[in-house]
Each structure stands twice: as C-alpha cells, then as structure tokens.
C-alpha cells in the first residue's frame, strides 16, 4: 500500500496530465514546476511509486498539447522578448563551443540538457499569456518551495551544522537549496503586504516563517547576502517610487517583521557561521579563504583557452592551476556562476549572459514606468518583487555554480511573460513593439 504522500502525488500527477492533454499545455507547465521544485525522486515516499521518468513524461505531454493547440497562443512572441535575443546568441556560442570543448563527453550532455530546458521555457513563456496564469505560476512557485522548507523544518540539520539533501531537481546540497529558497522570500513579503485576501496574507506569513527557518538551517552565507540584497532593493524601490505614505509604512512593517523573524529563528550555529561571512567561501573551515583565488585562476585559464573550453572547464583544468591541497578528488569548482560562464564560454559568452540578465531587468523597468503612469500600485510592486527575486538568485549564484540551474532561465521567462502581458494595450498582441 503506497504512503499517503505517494497517493497524493499520483492524484496530482494524473489529474495534471489529463488537464494537460485535454485542456491546455499550461497545466503541464504547472505540473513540471512542481515536479522540478518539490523533487519527488528525492523524497522518502518516491519508492512507493511506479518506475517512470515523470519529468520526461510531463515534458512530452506538454509539448504534444502545445503542438496541438499552438494557434491559441499567439500573444507572447518569443523573439520579441528582449531577453530571448541575448539568449539566442548565447545558445549559438554554446553550440559553437562544442567544436573545441575540452571534453566533448562532458559538454555534449550538458548542452543537450540545456537545450531541453530552453525548449520547455519557450513553451512556458508562450502559454503563460494572461495575468491570472502568471499569478497561478507564482503562487505554485511559492507553495512548492514552501513545501521544501516544511520538510526541512521536520528533519532539521542533517550534519555538519547544515541541512543537506533537501533541494530541488538540480541538486540537494545546502548552498543550492538555499539559493532556491531565497528567491521566494521577496514574493512572500509581497503577498504578505499586498495579498488580495486576508487568508492569502495569513498563508504568506506562515510560509515566510518556514522559509526563513529553512535559510537558517541551510546556513548559507551567499543566501544571506542574497536576502539582504533583495530586501534592500525592494525597500529602496518602494521609497523611491511610491508617493503614498501607506505603501512606505507597509514595506517598513513587512521588512521589520521579516528581519525580526529571521533574528528570532537564528541560532548559535547560524550566527557562528555568518560571523565568517568575510571569507566568502562555503568550505573555509576546510581549505581556508581561497575563493577569490579560484576566480583569479579563471583568467589564467583564458590565456590558453580564450574562447572557453565548454562545460565544466574549471573542474577539468583546476588541477593545473590550483595547488593540490585546495582540490577535492583532484578538481575544484569555481564557486561563481559568472566565472563559470567566463571559463566555459569566454569573454564573449559572459558579455552575452550579462546582456541576458540586464535585459530581464530592463523589461521590468519598462513595466514599472507604465504602472507609474497608470497609477497601478499592485503591479508596480509586483514588478519590484520580481526584480528582487531575480536579484536574489543572481547574488546567491555569485558564490555557487548555477549557470545550468533551471531557475536561471525560468525566472527570466516569467519576467518576459509579465512584460508581454502588461506592456501590451488591450487587444494588442505585439507587446514589445514599443519597447525593443
């Protein structure tokens, strides 16, 4: 007899599958979102399920449903979204790098996985074409990550003063999980302050407690910096953009509440680790403060490989550029998404990736200008929150390898859909005509 958790998942999976095949591929997007974030294969009850590649099945069903109904989804045009143009050029660079990759056996599978994610986020962008759908995507995003945090609250730290084995499908290490959990904090603050019902605000408060507790248990310094950066950005933006005193009081109350909860939940283990924040190294207790040395080694690699060396270049070459005592099993990761891109795809690849990042912020900046003109405070603060969420991921990713993480491409897809929905005039399907 399967566990109740396994039965609940099967009901969700099969009902979502039927909705995807018979109603809309949008339900497949929601189903995949939960599959990716909640990561059933990493849960104790997964062994009760039938042996099936659920993620692949969901992706195939969603693609089939979209192909059968593609004429319904004409509002969001992929290559009219500014981030898509940068992403296309970056993808071409990645494909060309296959010709001189240091290890084709490593680069090939990573490239294939990336292309699968890219194809799926394009479908997601096409199908999330109304404000109501985007609200559903964001609400489910919050719920799925909060589920992870509830699991973390139940299990507690698993050893070494950190909560391991919790994360989403990209990985279950503490730093990667903290990166994901951190992205939901700005959204929870937004729903706590501007939720459309009392119950929504109560749910947001409860979820905020669990997610802040999860950040404490995960004990990630990069995630703390991301939390401070995103919260500070939201506060600064509201004070700069809103002339209404009530909005300023709301954001002050929300941030004070969040900071108070965080301080209350912080324990001695967390505070001791945060006291070493200046080292910027997740493994400082083992190898000393060498993260900046890892980053600088990237420039030495680029002298020999100016166009990058393909996927995992730094890991493959680190033994030639770093002392043996700094290595783990003969290699080392660079511990920064920016230097990960730089080592793998060269200066030109990093330039295109930065363009992709900046253009996503640009979409939200254009939306905010429109919301100011129309005095639409709800969506103005929602756009600010999406900026905070994207900033949280980028700051945390500055200290971990996350270029191939799916959220690196999912969040800009949500942002592009937000722009397409809100920048268009009533009945106009060419949302970006006036802003590109």
């Amino acid at each position: 007899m399967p566990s109740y958790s396994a039965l609940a998942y099967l009901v969700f999976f099969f009902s979502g599958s039927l909705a995807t095949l018979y109603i809309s591929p949008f339900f497949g997007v929601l189903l995949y979102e939960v599959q990716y974030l909640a990561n059933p294969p990493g849960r104790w009850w997964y062994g009760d399920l039938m042996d099936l590649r659920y993620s692949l099945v969901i992706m195939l069903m969603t693609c089939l449903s979209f192909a059968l109904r593609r004429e319904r989804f004409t509002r969001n045009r992929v290559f009219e979204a500014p981030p898509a143009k940068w992403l296309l050029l970056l993808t071409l660079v990645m494909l060309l790098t296959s010709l001189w990759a240091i290890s084709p056996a490593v680069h090939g599978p990573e490239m294939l996985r990336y292309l699968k994610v890219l194809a799926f986020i394009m479908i997601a962008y096409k199908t999330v074409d109304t404000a109501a759908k985007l609200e559903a995507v964001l609400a489910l995003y919050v719920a799925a990550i909060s589920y992870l945090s509830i699991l973390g609250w139940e299990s507690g730290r698993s050893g070494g003063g950190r909560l391991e084995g919790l994360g989403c499908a990209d990985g279950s290490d503490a730093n990667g999980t903290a990166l994901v959990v951190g992205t939901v904090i700005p959204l929870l603050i937004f729903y706590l302050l501007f939720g459309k019902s009392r119950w929504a605000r109560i749910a947001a408060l409860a979820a905020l407690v669990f997610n802040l507790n999860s950040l404490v248990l995960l004990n990630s310094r990069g995630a703390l910096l991301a939390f401070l950066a995103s919260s500070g950005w939201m506060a600064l933006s509201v004070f700069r953009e809103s002339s209404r005193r009530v909005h300023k009081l709301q954001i002050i109350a929300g941030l004070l509440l969040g900071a108070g909860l965080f301080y209350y939940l912080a324990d001695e283990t967390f505070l001791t680790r945060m006291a070493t924040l200046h080292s910027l190294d997740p493994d400082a207790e083992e190898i000393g403060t060498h993260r900046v040395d890892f980053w600088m080694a990237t420039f030495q690699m680029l002298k020999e490989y100016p166009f990058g060396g393909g996927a995992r270049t730094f890991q493959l070459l680190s033994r030639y550029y770093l002392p043996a005592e700094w290595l783990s099993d003969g290699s080392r990761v660079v511990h920064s998404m920016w230097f990960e891109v730089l080592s793998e795809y060269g200066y030109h690849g990093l330039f295109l990736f930065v363009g992709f990042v900046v253009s996503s912020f640009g979409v939200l900046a254009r939306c905010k200008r429109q919301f100011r003109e129309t005095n639409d405070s709800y969506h103005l603060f929602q756009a600010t929150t999406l900026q905070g969420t994207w900033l949280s991921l980028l700051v945390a990713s500055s200290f971990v390898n996350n270029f191939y993480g799916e959220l690196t491409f999912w969040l800009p897809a949500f942002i592009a859909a937000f722009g397409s929905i809100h920048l268009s005039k009533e009945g106009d399907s060419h949302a970006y005509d006036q802003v590109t």
Side-chain angles (χ1 to χ4, degrees):
M1 176 70 180
S3 66
Y4 289 121
S5 296
L7 288 173
Y9 173 77
L10 288 175
V11 170
F12 177 78
F13 174 78
F14 284 112
S15 59
S17 299
L18 290 173
T20 300
L21 292 172
Y22 291 102
I23 301 177
S24 171
F26 172 68
F27 291 99
V29 173
L30 298 179
L31 191 59
Y32 184 82
E33 185 180 15
V34 172
Q35 178 71 23
Y36 167 74
L37 291 170
N39 189 23
R43 309 302 156 220
W44 65 267
W45 45 262
Y46 186 75
D48 294 337
L49 302 178
M50 64 185 77
D51 188 15
L52 185 67
R53 294 181 62 185
Y54 291 92
S55 294
L56 178 61
V57 171
I58 294 169
M59 185 174 291
L60 292 175
M61 289 190 302
T62 306
C63 290
L64 174 61
S65 180
F66 179 77
L68 294 174
R69 300 173 176 86
R70 61 185 180 278
E71 69 280 353
R72 300 183 187 177
F73 304 101
T74 58
R75 179 173 186 170
N76 295 355
R77 298 190 177 185
V78 172
F79 294 110
E80 289 182 356
K85 301 167 185 177
W86 291 96
L87 194 56
L88 173 62
L89 292 174
L90 180 61
T91 302
L92 290 175
V93 166
M94 294 170 69
L95 288 169
L96 286 173
T97 304
S98 302
L99 300 175
W100 58 79
I102 293 173
S103 175
V106 171
H107 184 76
E110 288 285 8
M111 191 71 218
L112 181 60
R113 187 167 72 92
Y114 165 82
L115 291 174
K116 290 177 181 177
V117 172
L118 191 62
F120 197 75
I121 64 167
M122 287 185 180
I123 293 178
Y125 169 73
K126 292 285 289 182
T127 56
V128 181
D129 54 3
T130 68
K133 287 182 179 179
L134 184 61
E135 291 281 4
V137 166
L138 294 178
L140 198 59
Y141 183 84
V142 168
I145 295 177
S146 298
Y147 167 74
L148 293 182
S149 293
I150 291 171
L151 293 180
W153 169 73
E154 291 177 343
S155 66
R157 292 191 178 101
S158 53
R162 310 188 74 182
L163 174 59
E164 300 284 358
L166 180 66
C168 60
D170 280 337
S172 57
D173 68 290
N175 287 316
T177 305
L179 179 149
V180 173
V181 172
T183 63
V184 84
I185 302 300
L187 288 165
L188 287 169
I189 292 174
F190 171 76
Y191 287 126
L192 176 63
L193 298 178
F194 304 106
K196 294 184 177 180
S197 71
R198 181 175 63 179
W199 291 111
R201 292 191 290 272
I202 291 173
L205 177 60
L208 183 62
V209 172
F210 281 110
N211 282 281
L212 289 175
N213 182 68
S214 182
L215 285 181
V216 170
L217 295 176
L218 289 161
N219 233 349
S220 169
R221 288 168 288 188
L224 175 62
L225 290 175
F227 169 71
L228 295 174
S230 60
S231 300
W233 169 258
M234 290 180 67
L236 178 64
S237 297
V238 171
F239 273 81
R240 185 180 59 192
E241 294 163 0
S242 178
S243 59
R244 296 181 62 183
R245 185 181 179 187
V246 64
H247 291 153
K248 296 178 181 180
L249 291 175
Q250 283 177 307
I251 198 67
I252 290 174
L255 291 175
L256 286 177
L257 177 62
L261 284 172
F262 202 50
Y263 181 77
Y264 174 77
L265 294 167
D267 58 8
E268 184 177 354
T269 301
F270 176 81
L271 294 175
T272 300
R273 184 172 176 80
M274 294 308 110
T276 63
L277 189 63
H278 64 278
S279 74
L280 297 179
D281 198 319
D283 302 311
E285 61 273 12
E286 297 177 9
I287 63 172
T289 307
H290 298 303
R291 172 165 295 184
V292 175
D293 295 309
F294 298 165
W295 297 348
M296 293 301 101
T298 304
F299 297 107
Q300 297 300 317
M301 294 180 186
L302 287 170
K303 292 179 181 179
E304 295 186 54
Y305 301 91
F307 297 105
R312 300 185 192 173
T313 292
F314 195 91
Q315 291 95 311
L316 293 169
L317 297 180
S318 56
R319 64 182 181 273
Y320 302 117
Y321 295 90
L322 299 176
E325 61 269 22
W326 293 2
L327 305 179
S328 176
D329 295 326
S331 67
R332 197 76 200 176
V333 298
V334 72
H335 286 296
S336 172
M337 178 175 67
W338 310 102
F339 287 93
E340 179 187 13
V341 175
L342 182 61
S343 65
E344 296 181 2
Y345 301 107
Y347 292 105
H348 56 300
L350 180 61
F351 172 78
L352 294 174
F353 182 65
V354 170
F356 169 68
V357 168
V358 172
S359 68
S360 298
F361 280 113
V363 168
L364 291 170
R366 291 160 182 160
C367 289
K368 289 167 72 172
R369 285 198 295 268
Q370 177 172 295
F371 297 144
R372 291 189 204 105
E373 294 173 0
T374 59
N375 200 29
D376 185 348
S377 59
Y378 178 84
H379 288 113
L380 175 63
F381 295 140
Q382 190 174 48
T384 299
T385 299
L386 289 174
Q387 286 178 326
T389 296
W390 185 216
L391 180 63
S392 175
L393 182 136
L394 294 172
V395 171
S397 296
S398 297
F399 308 103
V400 296
N401 285 28
N402 191 50
F403 175 65
Y404 300 101
E406 293 194 26
L407 289 188
T408 304
F409 306 99
W410 271 88
L411 292 182
F414 296 163
I415 290 170
F418 182 87
S420 181
I421 292 164
H422 292 291
L423 290 172
S424 61
K425 297 178 181 178
E426 191 69 27
D428 179 14
S429 64
H430 303 280
Y432 287 107
D433 284 352
Q434 303 303 315
V435 297
T436 55

